[in-house]
Amino acid sequence: LAATIDKQLFCPHGGLSPSLDTVAQMQQLERFQEIPHEGPICDLMWSDPDDRVGWGISPRGAGYTFGQDVSEHFNHTNGFEFIVRAHQLVMEGYNWS
């Protein structure tokens, strides 16, 4: 679902979840299951950053969209510098934002 690198990078497949504020909460999830259609595991798999403030409904039909404010709060709370995602296609190969 996610990994951390040198306590500086948070690397989820998709994104963040409004149900989870800390990595410690993520570590309590029962990960050995099919990906559910809703809930924090679904969010970590399918949520995407967006040009918005706060949380929004994802057009994917699973997970959420989240703004820069959400990312900054999560990073501050958990002591991370960056969030590095793997889930979204970017034509240039990467997106630095």
Side-chain angles (χ1 to χ4, degrees):
L1 296 174
T4 62
I5 300 172
D6 291 335
K7 299 181 182 176
Q8 294 182 10
L9 304 176
F10 177 69
C11 307
H13 173 77
L16 303 175
S17 172
S19 301
L20 302 169
D21 294 319
T22 66
V23 171
Q25 291 172 318
M26 292 176 198
Q27 292 171 327
Q28 299 301 314
L29 296 173
E30 177 55 52
R31 296 171 299 156
F32 300 103
Q33 60 175 298
E34 292 291 322
I35 298 169
H37 295 287
E38 60 185 22
I41 290 176
C42 174
D43 301 342
L44 291 171
M45 291 298 294
W46 304 121
S47 292
D48 294 306
D50 196 11
D51 294 328
R52 66 163 36 261
V53 174
W55 294 98
I57 301 299
S58 175
R60 294 181 187 279
Y64 292 86
T65 59
F66 56 94
Q68 180 177 341
D69 61 321
V70 172
S71 298
E72 289 174 354
H73 177 75
F74 181 85
N75 283 345
H76 177 76
T77 298
N78 292 282
F80 294 123
E81 294 291 323
F82 298 103
I83 297 172
V84 180
R85 302 173 61 245
H87 172 67
Q88 204 165 5
L89 172 67
V90 177
M91 296 310 291
E92 296 81 17
Y94 68 94
N95 181 8
W96 185 267
S97 56

